[in-house]
Amino acid sequence: MKTNELITAIWPGRAYPRGAHWDGEGVNFALFSQHAEKVELCLFNETGRHERQRIEIRERTDDIWHCYLPEARPGLAYGYRVHGPYKPEEGHRFNPNKLLVDPYAKDLIGQLRWGDALYGYTIGSKREDLSFDRRDSAPLVPKSRVLEPAFTWGDDRRPTVPWQDMVIYELHVRGFTMTHPEVPARLRGTYAGLGCAPVVDYLKRLGVTTVELLPVHSYVSERHLASKGLSNYWGYNTLGFFAPEVRYSASGKVKEFKTMVKTLHSAGIEVIIDVVYNHTCEGNQLGPTLSLRGIDNASYYIANADNHRYYDDFSGCGNTVNIEHPRALQLMMDSLRYWVEEMHVDGFRFDLASALAREAGEVENLGGFFDAIRQDPTLNRVKLIAEPWDLGSGGYRVGNFPHGWAEWNDRYRNGMRAYWKGDDGQIGELAQRLTGSHDLYGWSGKRSHASINFVTAHDGFTLHDLVSYNDKHNEANGEDNRDGNNHNLSWNCGAEGESDDPAILALRERQKRNLLATLLLSQGLPMLLAGDERGHTQLGNNNVYCQDSQLAWLDWTPTPERDALHTFVQRLILLRRAHPSLRRRNFFEGKPQEGDADKDVCWLKPDGGEMMGKDWSDNQARCLAMLVSGCGISERGARGETLHDDDFLLLLNSHHAEIPFALPPVRGGEWLLLLDTATQALPPADNGLPLASPPAWGQASYPLQSRSLVLLTRARTLA
């Protein structure tokens, strides 16, 4: 149809699928609203700026309003106006003056422009949200757009990296390539930029198996940020659960995201996306009316039991999506399936996942949402990662998510930071985290890969800043440094912020190596924050959620220090990949395994003696060794073969002084030095192999330098 022609044929259509569905002949529209009294479909010109026609949807099946337009075609811009009671005290906020984004829209056109007309009530009224605003919001709202879903996936195959082999790399689509010199300027900060050859080659050479993208669902920046000239950089403010964020698209087309995924898959790299289903961008009762609020507020959001005018907020963002409602649950499940089936992503990281478990406000058991995923034939085969907490009472659920889920393990983050900072009483915590956190995950029968180990993530200090600042410095955010976490377990190594003192700089580089080596040599799944391998700094800002600027973008300028750290991480990942002892599926048992006389893991003191009960309670102990038997691997290989490896001895010293460490005897061989973070000793890679002729260590003890980590190995065969 031509853009100046009106739709003349309106058929009843179907209640499913939801959203706008092009079937090759026409477009079916379907919208859920249980409490609406009337629904209008508004059609716009190709730019989305001018409303051309309103069509009253007369068909209603099981609270689904639907129609079929045989004359409609892909590219058609549209929105909804939904009529019903405006009674906030009863939980209803219908206002047909507000154009609404289709919750199932797979494509959007235009950006939200802030203005008072976006609100269902009159800004400035003494009655606040109990007042009613009659201004048309359409000129300010992005329009939904009918998508042509065809895409040539060819022989695209999921890499399906085994859990224990994963090395996750958390990155921001925009920030990762904004200053990359080898990415064409027009592609920087986009899906196409992330999928271009220099970037894919970098990821592949680094050795990561899986990229975890910060939110790519369409989102909006909060009004208070826009008024300050800032924006929501991270994207945890979802507007639509199907449409990829258009600001990250160089072409403005959805297929650009698909092309990126296909390219990464071709390189053997998985794509996991960070998803925000716990809340939306509509905020609290004083927020704008953009989509779900105006479609059916009482169904989609959790209302306060005592006063339906207000929301129960378990997200800290003003509202919580009511997953207990079957249509809200269906929306989330349909979204997840769409991103797997149509966009080919390999899994999800769920923001504030405990909020998705709340039933009647409680997280007593991980119910409906998690049951739905567990039985779903599409979703129960992809990677599922929980941020296992929310901001409500009882929301901290680390170690309690169902089988099939991995979890961000903040106990690992805090324990490793505290240990290398030199805090008292960390030896026991160090040992638990090094071995995969059996105390958190073993009790339920899970394996060590349930623990996503991380030292840094997008939320908080970068690795460089963790060793360069004692305190956060978030002044650029315009909140008088009140935002961001105050408990960072960071240490500036002697000077706050940037320094030109050689001794301080050397110590900071050593601390980075300590933390990175610990992460990549621990059991469980390591997650790296993009840029940490290059010493990325945010100048002490631990909350760059609103900084779409050089402060948050990765700096790709090479320096000797950055190049050295990158090489260090690259070779550590190669080392991890080459040795099954360093990425076991099963937990250690602390006893000999079949065919081996030695314990699968043994803990040693500096004098060479085995750690005993009282030793673990020594608050002053800062030095420990972990001896891992290469013949003590309990699991089998991919073809059922018995797995053997070399023995490894990991020495750790967070004390400020050197400690001579007595080495266990070697039968028929010598200890070989693989790594010493004090000297940056790491044998060069050769033909893809992580180790090339490591030097022998023929002495009975090792001079373990202050604040350093050492890894030694010895060849082992079955007795």
Side-chain angles (χ1 to χ4, degrees):
M1 61 174 291
K2 297 180 180 179
T3 58
N4 60 347
E5 292 180 352
L6 299 181
I7 294 287
T8 58
I10 303 169
W11 298 354
R14 303 176 305 279
Y16 193 86
R18 306 285 185 268
H21 177 69
W22 161 249
D23 62 8
E25 298 180 10
V27 180
N28 191 81
F29 294 86
L31 180 76
F32 162 75
S33 182
Q34 179 180 346
H35 300 99
E37 297 170 351
K38 176 181 174 182
V39 174
E40 293 177 302
L41 173 64
C42 302
L43 307 182
F44 291 79
N45 69 346
E46 66 274 11
T47 66
R49 295 177 181 174
H50 302 292
E51 185 176 333
R52 296 192 295 106
Q53 186 177 0
R54 291 190 192 184
I55 298 172
E56 182 177 347
I57 300 178
R58 301 185 181 278
E59 298 294 328
R60 183 176 185 178
T61 304
D62 296 333
D63 296 323
I64 309 298
W65 302 73
H66 53 91
C67 69
Y68 184 86
L69 306 183
E71 300 166 341
R73 295 292 180 267
L76 177 65
Y78 70 97
Y80 290 104
R81 298 182 188 273
V82 182
H83 301 249
Y86 187 83
K87 296 180 179 179
E89 64 279 5
E90 297 178 11
H92 300 307
R93 294 178 178 271
F94 294 101
N95 187 333
N97 300 291
K98 311 305 167 185
L99 187 79
L100 305 172
V101 172
D102 182 358
Y104 278 81
K106 298 178 176 66
D107 190 18
L108 297 178
I109 182 172
Q111 293 290 327
L112 182 134
R113 295 187 298 119
W114 281 106
D116 290 352
L118 292 172
Y119 298 81
Y121 64 95
T122 303
I123 296 288
S125 170
K126 293 181 180 180
R127 301 185 67 234
E128 293 187 322
D129 59 304
L130 297 179
S131 62
F132 187 80
D133 189 86
R134 300 184 182 278
R135 286 171 290 187
D136 184 7
S137 68
L140 307 177
V141 179
K143 310 306 184 294
S144 307
R145 186 160 58 176
V146 179
L147 179 67
E148 166 54 80
F151 182 79
T152 305
W153 283 104
D155 61 352
D156 178 65
R157 297 182 181 181
R158 302 187 190 284
T160 58
V161 179
W163 278 100
Q164 73 274 8
D165 295 344
M166 292 170 63
V167 177
I168 302 173
Y169 191 70
E170 189 195 30
L171 65 84
H172 189 285
V173 170
R174 180 168 168 81
F176 192 65
T177 62
M178 278 299 291
T179 68
H180 197 298
E182 297 180 60
V183 175
R186 63 184 179 83
L187 301 183
R188 292 176 186 169
T190 69
Y191 306 121
L194 184 56
C196 72
V199 176
V200 176
D201 289 346
Y202 176 86
L203 295 171
K204 194 170 182 179
R205 283 186 282 105
L206 182 60
V208 298
T209 68
T210 308
V211 293
E212 184 176 302
L213 309 181
L214 267 67
V216 294
H217 287 174
S218 59
Y219 68 91
V220 299
S221 294
E222 296 88 335
R223 189 174 192 178
H224 75 273
L225 292 178
S227 68
K228 298 176 182 178
L230 301 173
S231 64
N232 189 313
Y233 172 66
W234 284 345
Y236 292 91
N237 204 37
T238 307
L239 173 62
F241 299 105
F242 291 79
E245 175 52 48
V246 72
R247 281 172 286 192
Y248 301 160
S249 176
S251 63
K253 298 182 182 300
V254 171
K255 66 181 181 181
E256 184 179 320
F257 182 93
K258 297 180 179 181
T259 300
M260 174 199 73
V261 172
K262 184 178 179 181
T263 303
L264 289 167
H265 280 179
S266 295
I269 298 172
E270 296 179 310
V271 179
I272 289 176
I273 61 172
D274 198 333
V275 289
V276 187
Y277 292 117
N278 56 80
H279 74 279
T280 77
C281 63
E282 292 184 301
N284 64 14
Q285 76 278 3
L286 299 178
T289 296
L290 303 176
S291 184
L292 301 183
R293 173 173 284 144
I295 293 170
D296 197 339
N297 183 73
S299 295
Y300 278 117
Y301 293 118
I302 299 178
N304 183 272
D306 298 324
N307 189 337
H308 288 4
R309 175 185 176 186
Y310 303 104
Y311 301 102
D312 280 347
D313 178 13
F314 302 110
S315 66
C317 298
N319 63 61
T320 307
V321 176
N322 182 19
I323 299 295
E324 285 192 79
H325 194 288
R327 294 306 186 193
L329 175 60
Q330 184 181 35
L331 171 65
M332 304 314 171
M333 295 298 294
D334 287 347
S335 168
L336 290 167
R337 277 190 294 269
Y338 175 78
W339 283 91
V340 174
E341 295 171 350
E342 296 294 330
M343 309 296 267
H344 284 211
V345 302
D346 301 285
F348 306 93
R349 180 266 190 188
F350 292 82
D351 178 66
L352 300 180
S354 293
L356 303 174
R358 291 190 176 271
E359 297 180 350
E362 302 294 331
V363 194
E364 293 299 329
N365 54 63
L366 300 173
F369 177 76
F370 298 90
D371 290 341
I373 287 181
R374 174 175 274 184
Q375 61 77 43
D376 189 282
T378 294
L379 300 178
N380 64 23
R381 293 180 294 151
V382 301
K383 306 287 176 62
L384 303 171
I385 300 172
E387 183 182 34
W389 51 78
D390 65 15
L391 301 187
S393 175
Y396 186 80
R397 306 293 291 178
V398 172
N400 288 280
F401 275 72
H403 283 263
W405 287 71
E407 301 174 12
W408 273 28
N409 187 352
D410 67 331
R411 289 279 299 275
Y412 184 94
R413 175 196 64 195
N414 295 345
M416 294 308 174
R417 288 185 178 192
Y419 173 75
W420 285 113
K421 179 171 171 280
D423 288 354
D424 291 343
Q426 297 299 315
I427 289 293
E429 185 74 2
L430 171 70
Q432 289 279 20
R433 305 308 146 226
L434 279 173
T435 52
S437 296
H438 180 274
D439 57 329
L440 299 177
Y441 304 105
W443 66 271
S444 61
K446 296 178 187 175
R447 292 178 167 179
S448 59
H449 61 241
S451 176
I452 304 294
N453 301 331
F454 66 105
V455 174
T456 57
H458 69 275
D459 186 3
F461 279 141
T462 66
L463 181 65
H464 177 87
D465 292 356
L466 185 69
V467 301
S468 304
Y469 294 88
N470 284 348
D471 304 300
K472 64 183 183 181
H473 296 269
N474 298 357
E475 290 80 8
N477 296 353
E479 300 178 40
D480 298 324
N481 206 34
R482 295 190 303 271
D483 64 303
N485 201 327
N486 293 315
H487 183 63
N488 295 290
L489 293 168
S490 60
W491 177 45
N492 64 20
C493 296
E496 187 72 358
E498 298 307 302
S499 172
D500 56 6
D501 186 317
I504 290 175
L505 294 177
L507 178 55
R508 288 176 178 176
E509 292 303 312
R510 183 187 299 189
Q511 287 287 78
K512 291 180 197 176
R513 294 193 293 271
N514 288 335
L515 288 159
L516 287 167
T518 307
L519 176 65
L520 289 164
L521 296 174
S522 294
Q523 302 298 320
L525 302 187
M527 183 183 78
L528 292 163
L529 173 63
D532 276 354
E533 79 282 4
R534 301 185 56 80
H536 173 61
T537 179
Q538 295 168 173
L539 302 180
N541 191 317
N542 74 350
N543 190 32
V544 296
Y545 81 103
C546 60
Q547 296 293 333
D548 188 3
S549 67
Q550 296 277 355
L551 186 63
W553 303 339
L554 263 62
D555 183 356
W556 292 90
T557 307
T559 67
E561 293 77 17
R562 290 175 180 172
D563 292 345
L565 190 62
H566 174 272
T567 300
F568 180 82
V569 174
Q570 185 180 43
R571 292 178 182 168
L572 271 172
I573 293 175
L574 278 171
L575 177 65
R576 181 182 178 91
R577 180 184 301 167
H579 291 283
S581 280
L582 303 179
R583 44 182 175 80
R584 302 180 182 217
R585 293 197 302 273
N586 296 333
F587 287 108
F588 293 106
E589 296 182 24
K591 61 183 182 181
Q593 299 299 305
E594 183 179 354
D596 189 19
D598 296 332
K599 295 179 179 179
D600 56 1
V601 66
C602 183
W603 302 98
L604 304 175
K605 297 180 292 185
D607 63 6
E610 188 170 350
M611 292 281 290
M612 306 302 289
K614 60 183 177 60
D615 299 317
W616 293 108
S617 59
D618 182 357
N619 281 344
Q620 300 305 310
R622 287 174 171 77
C623 188
L624 181 70
M626 175 183 174
L627 176 60
V628 176
S629 170
C631 294
I633 303 176
S634 60
E635 60 259 21
R636 299 281 179 167
R639 298 187 177 183
E641 71 274 17
T642 301
L643 296 178
H644 295 148
D645 201 355
D646 297 333
D647 291 347
F648 289 96
L649 182 64
L650 182 65
L651 312 177
L652 305 102
N653 179 21
S654 65
H655 198 265
H656 59 78
E658 176 185 325
I659 296 177
F661 208 107
L663 301 180
V666 181
R667 296 183 294 272
E670 295 179 296
W671 283 110
L672 305 177
L673 176 63
L674 299 182
L675 164 68
D676 186 337
T677 60
T679 61
Q680 205 172 339
L682 193 66
D686 182 22
N687 296 325
L689 298 176
L691 306 175
S693 303
W697 187 266
Q699 302 179 42
S701 68
Y702 193 94
L704 189 57
Q705 300 299 302
S706 65
R707 299 190 175 94
S708 69
L709 176 151
V710 168
L711 182 67
L712 300 108
T713 189
R714 63 186 180 190
R716 277 291 302 271
T717 58
L718 283 173

